[in-house]
Amino acid sequence: MNLNNIHNVYFIGIGGVGMSALARYFHANNKRVSGYDKTQTEITNALVDMGISVHFNDSISNIDTQQLQVDNTLVVFTPAVPNTHKELNFFLDNGYQVMKRSKVLGLITENTFCLAVAGTHGKTTTTSILGHLMNCCDVPVTAFLGGISENYNSNLILKGTDVSVVEADEFDRSFLTLSPDIACITSMDADHLDIYGDASELKKSFQDFAGKIKPNGKLFVKNGLPLQGVTYGIEDDADYTVQNIKIENGAYVFDVKTPKTIIKDIQFNLPGRHNLSNALIALAMAAEYGCPHSQLAKALASYKGVKRRFSYHIKTDDLVYIDDYAHHPEEINAVYQAVREMYPGKKVLAIFQPHLFSRTRDFVDEFAASLSQFDELMLLDIYPARELAIDGVTSQWLLGKINNETKKIISKKELINEIKKSTAQVVLTIGAGDIGEEVKHIKQALQVAS
């Protein structure tokens, strides 16, 4: 497909983070963009403010067939949309060009120098750091992010079209549509077993992704993963490694040993060793592309983070409120490690909303172990996302496995009152569902209370 011949782009699920980044991209490239989503959010409001038409009821009457002609319209959909969707079926039945988001991303990036970030954890933060570094080094880059960057208040960084930075998503094997020049794999922990069946199939998928790299391309892998490539790690014998870590005023200061040199006294403001690892691989990929080390160090120090990735909402001596997207046991462990490193000895309350019945079932013991670490725990009901309920898989079942004296199930209605009853000095909201919509209310209530 030649995207130059496309005048209209219609999105089904336009409010998704990855989908809305594509919508912004096509809008910036003077295509007429419109779409559907099932719920109004801050993301859809931002799209409407840009002049993009968005509606929220699935009805064929919303499709302007005069405007959206078959020969010059591309329809993009997300795998989260059910196959009973009326609008999607209208486009399929009437001969429109209909593509998954990942396929469209593959088309956009195939004529660029592409840097891709893969892995079951760390993709969004790493991609947004890498996009920021390349942008600060004046590379003509388009970066498609899986979250809203705090530096740009957007999920798209647009400075040119020669180079692309993308999140390579293993869900639904989407990343196999990409052919990157430089890629990294941050982790290969089991996830998405509703798609893959078992962990060995997921591992094979990452091996297939490694095989998609262009002939003269380069693969970076986290030290210890069972793949050949340039290695990176923290305080180890990897090709790129972080050394001499200090914490100064709540920020990391460290050196990076590259295969050829040492870059000294780099500053990075995000807490947690997992974020330090994300910063290292982003820096290594940008250095490999050819960005000057001095510019990279300066750019990294100015990086502010991604919304819902260890985002501070209150940060005082008496109370800290952090919100994070963690939805896998390893991610919860990483959040716990970061909180303990930054706030040793303080009482921590975690409020967790499990995401997907299948993920809760597949990792229930690992979730129980990771959640047992907090001083106090509140669980919301499981957020179903694209799934129907599974018999016996409930938050109550998970709660029973958690080894914690102070634990309870609460509803969203009780959330603020229950948080106010706690004496915790650090409050965390965790999860990938709609718990993110509660953050502003919690922040407001805690500010008023204090």
Side-chain angles (χ1 to χ4, degrees):
M1 175 193 278
N2 185 348
L3 291 172
N4 294 328
N5 300 332
I6 295 295
H7 301 311
N8 307 294
V9 189
Y10 189 87
F11 287 86
I12 300 175
I14 196 166
V17 174
M19 292 282 276
S20 58
L22 276 183
R24 288 172 191 265
Y25 170 81
F26 282 119
H27 180 74
N29 282 279
N30 301 313
K31 310 290 186 192
R32 191 189 285 117
V33 177
S34 56
Y36 156 88
D37 205 276
K38 68 177 179 181
T39 43
Q40 186 176 351
T41 61
E42 286 178 17
I43 288 178
T44 60
N45 291 344
L47 294 177
V48 169
D49 290 345
M50 292 170 67
I52 293 171
S53 170
V54 182
H55 61 266
F56 303 98
N57 56 324
D58 172 21
S59 170
I60 294 162
S61 64
N62 291 314
I63 298 166
D64 183 349
T65 50
Q66 298 298 111
Q67 197 180 8
L68 302 180
Q69 293 160 358
V70 173
D71 57 348
N72 66 7
T73 299
L74 169 64
V75 178
V76 188
F77 73 103
T78 165
V81 171
N83 54 17
T84 54
H85 197 276
K86 296 189 193 81
E87 292 183 24
L88 177 61
N89 282 299
F90 169 83
F91 288 118
L92 289 169
D93 294 343
N94 286 279
Y96 282 81
Q97 300 183 80
V98 180
M99 288 186 179
K100 276 186 186 174
R101 181 188 74 90
S102 55
K103 191 82 187 290
V104 177
L105 201 54
L107 274 177
I108 292 169
T109 58
E110 69 183 3
N111 297 316
T112 68
F113 188 97
C114 178
L115 296 94
V117 177
T120 39
H121 323 298
K123 285 189 297 292
T124 298
T125 301
T126 304
T127 308
S128 88
I129 298 170
L130 181 56
H132 176 66
L133 296 180
M134 305 287 272
N135 185 57
C136 290
C137 292
D138 290 321
V139 175
V141 66
T142 302
F144 297 92
L145 313 179
I148 305 296
S149 160
E150 298 279 12
N151 288 81
Y152 305 93
N153 197 31
S154 177
N155 48 1
L156 181 74
I157 302 170
L158 194 54
K159 194 167 195 154
T161 53
D162 296 355
V163 178
S164 57
V165 170
V166 296
E167 202 168 303
D169 191 359
E170 75 282 357
F171 173 75
D172 205 21
R173 297 179 172 83
S174 294
F175 59 1
L176 300 182
T177 60
L178 300 169
S179 300
D181 295 88
I182 300 175
C184 77
I185 296 175
T186 63
S187 52
M188 288 164 51
D189 291 323
D191 198 5
H192 306 301
L193 299 185
D194 54 324
I195 302 289
Y196 284 97
D198 69 63
S200 64
E201 282 299 307
L202 179 68
K203 190 182 286 187
K204 183 180 178 301
S205 196
F206 278 109
Q207 289 163 344
D208 293 342
F209 171 71
K212 301 290 285 186
I213 294 167
K214 287 176 187 161
N216 294 323
K218 192 157 277 190
L219 175 67
F220 288 82
V221 295
K222 181 83 178 280
N223 203 10
L225 291 181
L227 288 169
Q228 290 298 308
V230 182
T231 57
Y232 72 97
I234 293 179
E235 295 177 325
D236 61 8
D237 60 352
D239 299 315
Y240 281 81
T241 182
V242 168
Q243 299 179 332
N244 303 325
I245 302 166
K246 300 184 285 288
I247 294 176
E248 295 178 5
N249 303 321
Y252 287 117
V253 178
F254 55 94
D255 302 335
V256 169
K257 184 179 85 61
T258 79
K260 294 175 184 168
T261 185
I262 292 178
I263 314 169
K264 287 196 165 295
D265 294 325
I266 298 173
Q267 186 185 323
F268 183 61
N269 295 308
L270 261 60
R273 293 289 175 112
H274 61 301
N275 282 323
L276 200 51
S277 179
N278 296 334
L280 172 64
I281 182 51
L283 185 134
M285 290 171 80
E288 194 64 43
Y289 174 78
C291 294
H293 291 172
S294 57
Q295 265 183 282
L296 286 174
K298 190 177 172 188
L300 197 58
S302 68
Y303 176 75
K304 293 178 187 171
V306 179
K307 285 184 180 170
R308 299 221 62 228
R309 303 304 194 280
F310 214 91
S311 297
Y312 282 100
H313 291 276
I314 298 173
K315 195 177 185 182
T316 67
D317 292 342
D318 302 322
L319 181 67
V320 174
Y321 171 37
I322 297 161
D323 176 50
D324 195 277
Y325 188 73
H327 55 283
H328 182 283
E330 285 304 318
E331 293 166 355
I332 294 169
N333 286 334
V335 169
Y336 177 78
Q337 181 272 322
V339 168
R340 273 288 162 253
E341 187 174 44
M342 291 297 160
Y343 302 102
K346 290 205 170 181
K347 184 178 178 183
V348 181
L349 160 66
I351 301 111
F352 178 56
Q353 180 189 45
H355 184 265
L356 297 179
F357 294 101
S358 60
R359 186 183 280 124
T360 307
R361 175 199 63 202
D362 294 339
F363 301 107
V364 68
D365 292 328
E366 291 87 344
F367 274 122
S370 63
L371 293 166
S372 295
Q373 299 173 97
F374 297 101
D375 300 307
E376 195 177 337
L377 180 72
M378 298 177 191
L379 278 189
L380 292 169
D381 283 335
I382 297 169
Y383 184 77
R386 55 188 178 269
E387 292 185 338
L388 296 171
I390 297 172
D391 220 21
V393 178
T394 63
S395 286
Q396 191 66 52
W397 175 56
L398 170 57
L399 190 79
K401 290 176 171 280
I402 292 168
N403 182 18
N404 190 315
E405 295 289 306
T406 319
K407 60 178 184 179
K408 62 172 78 165
I409 301 255
I410 58 165
S411 69
K412 273 200 227 142
K413 273 189 258 179
E414 302 170 295
L415 194 54
I416 285 166
N417 280 337
E418 290 293 335
I419 293 170
K420 281 181 180 174
K421 287 180 196 171
S422 172
T423 57
Q425 298 123 305
V426 181
V427 177
L428 292 171
T429 42
I430 316 172
D434 59 4
I435 191 169
E437 299 294 312
E438 304 300 320
V439 169
K440 54 183 177 286
H441 307 304
I442 296 167
K443 178 182 178 178
Q444 192 178 11
L446 289 177
Q447 282 174 330
V448 169
S450 62

